[in-house]
């Protein structure tokens, strides 16, 4: 019996090679992609996101942003503080400064999303975080309005890679019944980071110099930038591994060379032509230009496909109106509260409200949708209801003269409004096929910023300069939340299909599937193999 078992057991030599398995279409054993577990991945991405928004909150805080210099009728003048005071910025210029990083974000997001099809997304995140770190250091060394504006643009370039690619990684590895909850935990870092940024910027700006706030942020982000290069890369669902893409490119190149050789009139002419190709700059230039042209053409095709997804478009339109208000709230909130209600510690008060309501609201929104069953239709229902009721509370808050009544109503309003973060990004990820998810997140980011919080901060600054009444300005701004709720309500009645498991153009070779196995599935597969 023992001999029979030994004979039945295949030897190492009899096992088919990896090349044979590839040729036969048999999946090879999925290698462990890295030391990451799904929860570790979530924690690391949450910390990075927190630092990103800590920076946004810090530059909006009264401690770092500061205030303009003032002069009395008698001619007594007091110097301003922070960035606004040191660079003598008007409210409009100050608003432009808050939106400057969006320019880099908008330009770079589609580029990083397109590169994800040919370069490992995890490495792209490392590149982006490196640019972010250097740009934030530059903010601390800026010497006038234009120098800090350019540095803020580069901050946006660095953040673009992370914003476009982090959510698909999380969605890949989250348990099926908790996908919205995991996304909510990730996006919870937006209000939390803003809030901590208010407090952090206020403390650093008041007790030290405002420049120090940026240098500390860079030191916090540096380890994660390095991590993006030293860790073994992960793969995204819907994308072929970099090795497969490279191998395919080599095959195509070899085929084209054979074809070119066959076209020659005779052997000597072909040899001479080949020699000229290798020693001339023209063919190399043409090759690079062709690659860029193909990349642009592919991007335009993908963009057209994305914009034909009606569910996705409606979701993003509602998100634009929502972000127009939230972006202005986040930047002008402390200053408005200080002027309307004479808050002595506006940074701390707004920071405290935002961090508590942001955490509770964002996480609650994700868990509620999972409890309802995370579908696109249910997500639209949750978005429209919470945004409408939240808008009512926020509008009512600014009508009160009592600071305590304002804080109570505004807190409830923020709690409801922040419940949208998980559901809205769930729709962005699940209304398109897997290979389109980085682009869907990039275009969503571009749209909500270029039409949302990029124009809202300077426009609110212009409005305030005109009416010179922060209460009226806040009420006018809050009204825009109602159209956002209405647009999302339309989505409830649209035909929607969850396309998360839809096959993509890269899912051709069986080995691609194993190489792209998410962490969670990879762990289960290894457990099954070891048991067998």
């Amino acid at each position: 019996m023992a001999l029979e078992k030994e004979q039945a057991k295949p030897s190492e030599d009899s096992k088919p090679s990896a090349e044979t398995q590839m040729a036969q279409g048999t999946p090879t054993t999925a290698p462990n992609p890295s030391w990451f577990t799904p929860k570790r991945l979530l924690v690391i991405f949450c910390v990075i996101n927190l630092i990103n928004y800590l920076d946004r909150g810090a530059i909006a805080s009264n401690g770092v942003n500061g205030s303009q210099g003032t002069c009395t009728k008698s001619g007594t003048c007091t110097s301003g503080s922070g960035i606004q005071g040191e660079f003598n910025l008007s409210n409009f210029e100050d608003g432009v400064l808050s939106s400057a990083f969006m320019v880099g974000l908008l330009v770079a997001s589609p580029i990083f999303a397109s590169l994800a099809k040919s370069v490992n997304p995890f490495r792209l995140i490392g590149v982006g975080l490196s640019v972010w770190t250097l740009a934030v250091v530059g903010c601390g060394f800026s010497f006038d309005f234009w120098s800090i504006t350019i540095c803020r643009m580069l901050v946006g370039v660095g953040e673009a890679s992370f914003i476009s690619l982090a959510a698909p990684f999380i969605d890949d590895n989250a348990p099926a019944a908790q996908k919205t909850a995991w996304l909510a935990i990730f996006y919870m870092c937006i209000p939390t980071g803003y809030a901590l940024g208010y407090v952090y910027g206020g403390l650093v700006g008041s007790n030290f110099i405002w420049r120090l706030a940026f240098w500390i942020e860079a030191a916090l982000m540096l380890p994660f930038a390095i991590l993006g290069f030293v860790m073994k890369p992960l793969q995204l669902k819907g994308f072929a591994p970099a090795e497969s893409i490279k191998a395919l490119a080599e095959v195509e190149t070899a085929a084209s060379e054979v074809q070119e050789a066959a076209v020659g009139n005779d052997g000597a002419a072909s040899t001479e032509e080949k020699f000229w190709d290798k020693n001339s700059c023209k063919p190399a230039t043409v090759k690079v230009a062709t690659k860029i042209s193909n990349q642009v053409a592919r991007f335009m095709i993908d963009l057209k496909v994305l914009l034909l997804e009606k569910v996705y478009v409606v979701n993003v339109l509602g998100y634009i109106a929502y972000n127009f208000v939230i972006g202005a709230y986040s930047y002008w909130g402390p200053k408005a509260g200080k002027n309307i209600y004479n808050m002595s510690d506006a940074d701390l008060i707004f920071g405290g409200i935002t961090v508590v309501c942001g955490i509770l609201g964002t996480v609650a929104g994700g868990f509620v949708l999972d409890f309802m069953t995370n579908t696109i239709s249910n997500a639209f229902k949750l978005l429209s209801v919470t945004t409408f009721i939240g808008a009512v509370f926020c509008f009512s808050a600014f009508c009160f003269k009592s600071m305590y009544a304002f804080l109570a109503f505004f807190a409830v309003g923020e709690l409801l409004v922040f419940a949208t973060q998980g559901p809205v990004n769930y729709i962005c990820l699940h209304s398109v096929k897997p290979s389109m998810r980085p682009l869907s997140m990039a275009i969503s980011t571009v749209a909500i910023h270029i039409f949302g919080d990029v124009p809202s901060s300077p426009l609110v600054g212009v409005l305030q300069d005109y009416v010179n009444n922060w209460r009226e300005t806040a009420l006018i701004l809050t009204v825009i939340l109602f159209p956002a709720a209405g647009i999302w309500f339309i989505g409830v009645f649209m035909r929607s299909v969850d396309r998360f498991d839809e096959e993509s153009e890269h899912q051709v070779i069986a080995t691609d599937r194993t190489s792209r196995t998410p962490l969670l599935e990879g762990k289960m597969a290894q457990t099954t193999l070891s048991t067998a």
Side-chain angles (χ1 to χ4, degrees):
M1 293 295 293
L3 181 61
E4 290 177 0
K5 288 183 179 179
E6 187 174 346
Q7 291 175 346
K9 183 179 178 181
S11 64
E12 293 295 327
D13 296 335
S14 65
K15 290 183 180 180
S17 64
E19 292 78 4
T20 304
Q21 292 182 34
M22 183 182 295
Q24 295 173 350
T26 306
T28 56
T29 304
N32 187 15
S34 72
W35 65 275
F36 277 129
T37 63
K39 290 183 179 178
R40 284 177 183 169
L41 179 71
L42 178 64
V43 170
I44 289 174
F45 279 1
C46 282
V47 174
I48 295 172
N49 208 26
L50 191 70
I51 299 173
N52 275 329
Y53 284 90
L54 178 80
D55 172 69
R56 298 197 198 182
I59 198 172
S61 69
N62 288 319
V64 172
N65 185 262
S67 59
Q68 293 175 317
T70 57
C71 292
T72 62
K73 293 181 180 180
S74 61
T76 304
C77 296
T78 57
S79 59
S81 61
I83 297 173
Q84 191 174 20
E86 184 169 334
F87 298 151
N88 194 26
L89 306 181
S90 65
N91 283 333
F92 175 74
E93 289 175 323
D94 198 16
V96 169
L97 186 63
S98 75
S99 302
F101 85 99
M102 298 293 184
V103 176
L105 187 71
L106 302 181
V107 172
S109 291
I111 294 174
F112 279 114
S114 297
L115 287 175
K117 293 194 173 185
S118 56
V119 181
N120 184 272
F122 202 65
R123 291 290 184 253
L124 291 176
I125 291 176
V127 172
L129 295 183
S130 300
V131 174
W132 190 97
T133 303
L134 293 173
V136 169
V137 171
C139 290
F141 286 106
S142 58
F143 50 86
D144 61 9
F145 169 71
W146 287 109
S147 63
I148 194 170
T149 299
I150 292 171
C151 288
R152 295 307 297 173
M153 289 180 184
L154 292 174
V155 168
V157 171
E159 188 177 331
S161 65
F162 182 74
I163 292 297
S164 302
L165 302 170
F169 272 121
I170 293 172
D171 194 53
D172 274 356
N173 296 289
Q178 299 175 8
K179 285 187 178 293
T180 321
W182 279 46
L183 287 172
I185 291 171
F186 175 70
Y187 285 104
M188 172 193 72
C189 298
I190 294 177
T192 306
Y194 261 123
L196 292 176
Y198 291 152
V199 178
Y200 163 77
L203 293 174
V204 174
S206 300
N207 296 286
F208 304 97
I209 58 173
W210 61 265
R211 299 174 186 274
L212 182 62
F214 293 112
W215 296 332
I216 294 175
E217 291 168 11
L220 293 174
M221 186 64 83
L222 183 60
F224 297 102
I226 296 172
L227 189 69
F229 292 102
V230 300
M231 290 304 301
K232 189 173 182 179
L234 309 179
Q235 294 295 336
L236 274 175
K237 179 182 177 70
F239 289 85
E243 296 81 8
S244 299
I245 296 172
K246 184 177 179 181
L248 181 61
E250 289 175 352
V251 170
E252 291 177 348
T253 302
S256 63
E257 288 178 354
V258 171
Q259 185 177 3
E260 289 174 1
V263 171
N265 293 328
D266 52 58
S270 298
T271 305
E272 182 181 352
E273 187 177 348
K274 189 173 182 181
F275 178 81
W276 180 84
D277 285 347
K278 287 184 177 180
N279 291 276
S280 174
C281 295
K282 187 176 179 181
T285 305
V286 172
K287 188 175 182 180
V288 172
T290 302
K291 284 186 177 181
I292 295 174
S293 177
N294 291 340
Q295 192 76 18
V296 172
R298 181 56 186 269
F299 169 76
M300 296 306 297
I301 293 171
D302 287 346
L303 182 61
K304 182 179 179 180
V305 171
L306 187 65
L307 295 180
L308 290 175
E309 294 287 349
K310 296 179 181 178
V311 172
Y312 173 82
V313 171
V314 168
N315 182 53
V316 172
L317 287 175
Y319 204 12
I320 288 170
Y322 166 89
N323 217 58
F324 188 95
V325 179
I326 298 301
Y329 271 175
S330 64
Y331 192 74
W332 294 112
K335 195 165 289 188
K338 183 177 181 179
N339 282 272
I340 297 173
Y341 297 103
N342 296 317
M343 295 180 185
S344 57
D345 297 316
D347 285 340
L348 293 174
I349 293 173
F350 266 81
I353 291 176
T354 303
V355 71
V356 173
C357 297
I359 291 173
L360 294 178
T362 305
V363 174
F367 278 97
V368 168
L369 181 56
D370 286 335
F371 179 77
M372 293 169 63
T373 303
N374 47 25
T375 64
I376 293 175
S377 178
N378 284 342
F380 274 124
K381 292 175 185 176
L382 190 61
L383 287 171
S384 57
V385 171
T386 56
T387 303
F388 180 82
I389 301 175
V392 171
F393 273 90
C394 288
F395 187 88
S396 302
F398 286 106
C399 294
F400 289 106
K401 293 184 177 180
S402 168
M403 183 181 72
Y404 298 104
F406 162 77
L407 292 175
F409 271 72
F410 192 70
V412 175
E414 279 207 325
L415 188 70
L416 291 164
V417 166
F418 278 119
T420 61
Q421 292 298 322
V424 73
N425 287 286
Y426 177 88
I427 296 173
C428 282
L429 291 168
H430 286 253
S431 61
V432 300
K433 60 184 180 181
S435 63
M436 295 287 288
R437 291 181 304 163
L439 185 62
S440 77
M441 296 305 297
I443 297 302
S444 171
T445 302
V446 167
I448 65 174
H449 291 317
I450 198 170
F451 300 112
D453 52 8
V454 166
S456 70
S457 292
L459 285 176
V460 168
V462 171
L463 178 63
Q464 172 57 23
D465 287 338
Y466 177 74
V467 301
N468 198 28
N469 187 316
W470 275 109
R471 190 186 300 275
E472 290 182 19
T473 300
L475 288 171
I476 293 170
L477 175 66
T478 305
V479 168
I480 301 174
L481 283 174
F482 292 103
I487 293 170
W488 278 328
F489 186 66
I490 294 172
V492 176
F493 303 98
M494 298 181 68
R495 182 178 177 275
S496 57
V497 178
D498 192 323
R499 306 182 66 181
F500 177 75
D501 291 320
E502 185 172 314
E503 296 290 319
S504 70
E505 63 269 25
H506 294 297
Q507 292 174 317
V508 179
I509 305 174
T511 50
D512 286 352
R513 293 172 181 247
T514 57
S515 299
R516 285 182 289 95
T517 302
L519 296 175
L520 199 62
E521 295 178 7
K523 188 175 180 181
M524 294 171 60
Q526 289 173 1
T527 304
T528 305
L529 287 171
S530 62
T531 304

